[in-house]
Amino acid sequence: MIRVTNLKKSYGSLQVLKGINVHIHEKEVVVVIGPSGSGKSTFLRCLNLLEDFDEGDIVVDGFHLKDPKTDLNKVREEVGMVFQRFNLFPHMTVLDNITLAPMKVRKWSKEKATEKAMQLLVKVGLQDKAHVYPDSLSGGQAQRVAIARALAMEPKVMLFDEPTSALDPEMVGEVLAVMKQLAKEGMTMVVVTHEMGFAREVGDRVLFMDGGVVVEEGTPQQIFDAPQHERTKSFLSKVL
Amino acid sequence: MDFRFNIILEYAPFFFKGVLWTVGLSLVGIFFGTILGLAIGLGKMVRNRLVRLPFDWYVHFFRGTPLFVQILLIHFGVMPMFTAQPNPLVSGAISLSLNAAAYIAEIFRAGIQSIDRGQMEAARSLGMTHVQAMRYIILPQAIKRMIPPLGNEFIVLIKDSSLAAIIAAPELMYWGRAMQGQYYRVWEPYLTVALIYLVLTLSLSKLLHRLERRYDA
């Protein structure tokens, strides 16, 4: 589904990604963990080219992102993204937030887009919030709407960039529950998170990143119960 | 102090004509200033420094020199290059438009750049083109924020149109000066003129206030 080869990126003289190689399969849930500044968010944002990269190659659903012939908008239609700070559109109702892209990008009819949106709102447990504006939602509700908004495009892959980091602790669970459900339904997911419980329970594979490289990867059992590298051990000892 | 209402009455038809020209000049300035300002504001947001340079300097020049000087330069310097008999109203309208455009460009740029980067990212991540993201996500939010500073600029523009009197454009201030010259009176012409400007600017600010409230609802 996604193949990343020798991905490198620098901000000025600071190299934040130093050659990443990852292959993400269909229906796989890959969780990326690591300390702040390890490059995990930058890595994720490269996958739909919200962040440009300097070297290497990323192939998403058969499209080489750096190929000038690739229509990036077409690729992004298939790659949903959920942000740390939700980024809901504040001037639109929840329903309009969800239906806008399907109508303008996928050219769906209003009826079709609304029907899909209502299904998704039921799925994330917010059907009664369809006609309110985002500023009246709690953080957890806003993030569930953001997930519904991304899913409305019927993407093949979902990217999650620290989706629970901006939430009050009591709201983390409701967002993770939606993500768990999504994983169970077979969605291909790449999740950058600090929620180790989620990584262990839902992840098919865990990548530990530090200093711009993937230091160690494996099943949650391998990473959490028997980490091989010193850096992995030291990180896990601090967060577990 | 005596106050001669009769000479105000005598000049009433001229003041009336003057007000029409003042409103006309202001409307032309607002219209072309806004269109030109949007174009320059967009030009200032181009990433390429060389492309951006002329737009930057346009703003530097028109914001950094007095409108008074600009009017004289345009009327006595630039316009004679195109026509033997420059019309002061045309020169005034052009000066006001060019000057307002510089300020409006900054208002547009600031409005657009004040929208959180995450909004553009979210829109693009959903597959929208840059133009779609601007149209549906960024501009609707930015325009709401631009209304108060734009209103401010329009009020300044109405008042600044009085500077066109110096090149004998027959707007409101011109007739005030004419009346002062004829009767050697100060209070009657200038208080009348001041009061009329006040009515014009208050009406505009009332109108803008309403617009602002409607956008808020």
Side-chain angles (χ1 to χ4, degrees):
Chain A
M1 192 80 219
I2 300 179
R3 187 184 290 277
V4 180
T5 322
N6 194 31
L7 176 67
K8 288 184 184 169
K9 174 172 178 67
S10 303
Y11 291 113
S13 61
L14 180 72
Q15 194 173 32
V16 286
L17 298 177
K18 298 175 181 170
I20 307 245
N21 295 288
V22 178
H23 188 186
I24 293 153
H25 306 270
E26 211 177 319
K27 294 184 191 274
E28 195 182 21
V29 177
V30 173
V31 181
V32 185
I33 61 171
S36 310
S38 59
K40 54 193 194 305
S41 275
T42 307
F43 161 69
L44 190 76
R45 290 160 57 84
C46 283
L47 297 183
N48 63 355
L49 223 58
L50 273 189
E51 205 79 62
D52 204 358
F53 54 92
D54 307 322
E55 260 183 75
D57 192 21
I58 299 180
V59 185
V60 177
D61 194 24
F63 292 99
H64 291 257
L65 295 192
K66 282 286 208 175
D67 185 338
K69 284 191 293 254
T70 297
D71 182 352
L72 266 182
N73 297 319
K74 278 270 170 286
V75 178
R76 286 175 177 147
E77 287 175 28
E78 308 299 336
V79 182
M81 185 153 195
V82 174
F83 300 86
Q84 184 175 349
R85 282 169 48 242
F86 331 135
N87 297 346
L88 292 179
F89 307 134
H91 60 301
M92 295 179 178
T93 63
V94 163
L95 185 63
D96 291 338
N97 261 276
I98 302 174
T99 57
L100 180 72
M103 283 165 59
K104 300 300 175 192
V105 179
R106 289 241 193 256
K107 310 290 181 202
W108 289 3
S109 70
K110 193 179 165 105
E111 292 69 36
K112 184 177 177 193
T114 306
E115 197 189 318
K116 175 82 186 175
M118 291 311 295
Q119 283 172 10
L120 287 166
L121 282 174
V122 170
K123 181 173 177 164
V124 299
L126 293 170
Q127 57 274 30
D128 54 329
K129 298 288 185 187
H131 299 289
V132 307
Y133 283 85
D135 63 4
S136 68
L137 300 175
S138 71
Q141 291 170 338
Q143 194 60 299
R144 284 184 283 155
V145 170
I147 294 173
R149 180 177 68 177
L151 288 175
M153 288 294 287
E154 300 186 335
K156 294 179 180 159
V157 188
M158 285 284 284
L159 310 178
F160 292 85
D161 188 5
E162 303 200 23
T164 58
S165 296
L167 299 179
D168 291 336
E170 73 268 26
M171 292 171 183
V172 170
E174 62 195 59
V175 172
L176 292 182
V178 169
M179 292 168 63
K180 256 179 236 176
Q181 179 62 32
L182 206 53
K184 218 188 288 174
E185 290 166 13
M187 175 61 80
T188 310
M189 294 163 66
V190 185
V191 184
V192 170
T193 187
H194 292 292
E195 293 295 326
M196 297 303 151
F198 176 85
R200 184 190 276 271
E201 190 185 336
V202 184
D204 295 314
R205 191 148 51 105
V206 175
L207 307 184
F208 171 69
M209 278 184 71
D210 192 14
V213 292
V214 176
V215 175
E216 188 166 354
E217 65 171 289
T219 63
Q221 288 71 33
Q222 287 169 337
I223 298 291
F224 290 110
D225 300 334
Q228 298 300 308
H229 285 261
E230 275 313 310
R231 280 195 281 176
T232 318
K233 286 179 196 163
S234 123
F235 174 73
L236 290 173
S237 71
K238 282 176 207 147
V239 296
L240 288 180
Chain B
M1 181 186 99
D2 64 327
F3 194 87
R4 292 172 57 187
F5 283 100
N6 62 322
I7 61 170
I8 298 178
L9 266 175
E10 189 194 317
Y11 259 81
F14 300 113
F15 284 143
F16 182 72
K17 266 201 310 198
V19 169
L20 290 186
W21 280 121
T22 291
V23 171
L25 276 177
S26 306
L27 286 178
V28 169
I30 287 173
F31 182 75
F32 288 106
T34 303
I35 291 176
L36 194 60
L38 177 60
I40 293 166
L42 291 174
K44 278 196 60 143
M45 282 187 290
V46 173
R47 278 226 192 92
N48 186 314
R49 271 185 51 202
L50 270 175
V51 177
R52 217 172 49 211
L53 203 69
F55 298 103
D56 281 342
W57 275 99
Y58 180 94
V59 174
H60 287 323
F61 178 78
F62 280 98
R63 226 171 40 163
T65 60
L67 175 59
F68 190 72
V69 177
Q70 291 161 19
I71 289 173
L72 294 176
L73 275 175
I74 285 169
H75 185 60
F76 294 114
V78 178
M79 292 309 282
M81 291 194 242
F82 301 100
T83 164
Q85 290 255 281
N87 181 328
L89 283 166
V90 174
S91 300
I94 290 175
S95 310
L96 281 172
S97 303
L98 294 179
N99 182 271
Y103 288 92
I104 291 171
E106 287 297 279
I107 292 170
F108 274 120
R109 188 185 59 81
I112 288 170
Q113 289 182 344
S114 74
I115 305 301
D116 184 69
R117 213 165 57 112
Q119 293 288 306
M120 177 58 93
E121 290 183 350
R124 297 305 301 273
S125 80
L126 288 163
M128 283 186 228
T129 62
H130 186 82
V131 172
Q132 284 178 323
M134 271 293 186
R135 172 162 164 210
Y136 298 115
I137 307 303
I138 306 297
L139 284 178
Q141 296 182 61
I143 285 170
K144 204 173 119 181
R145 291 188 194 178
M146 290 173 198
I147 292 174
L150 273 181
N152 217 5
E153 174 54 28
F154 293 162
I155 285 168
V156 168
L157 207 139
I158 290 178
K159 295 187 296 171
D160 279 359
S161 69
S162 63
L163 286 170
I166 204 68
I167 52 170
E171 46 68 74
L172 184 55
M173 187 62 201
Y174 172 88
W175 292 109
R177 279 159 54 92
M179 182 176 166
Q180 196 267 337
Q182 182 178 348
Y183 291 102
Y184 294 107
R185 306 280 297 184
V186 174
W187 294 100
E188 288 87 348
Y190 293 147
L191 268 185
T192 308
V193 166
L195 191 73
I196 297 174
Y197 278 116
L198 190 62
V199 169
L200 289 180
T201 53
L202 283 180
S203 313
L204 179 61
S205 81
K206 199 101 189 148
L207 199 78
L208 287 160
H209 195 71
R210 250 194 224 167
L211 192 69
E212 218 176 302
R213 269 219 313 251
R214 215 179 50 191
Y215 251 95
D216 244 1

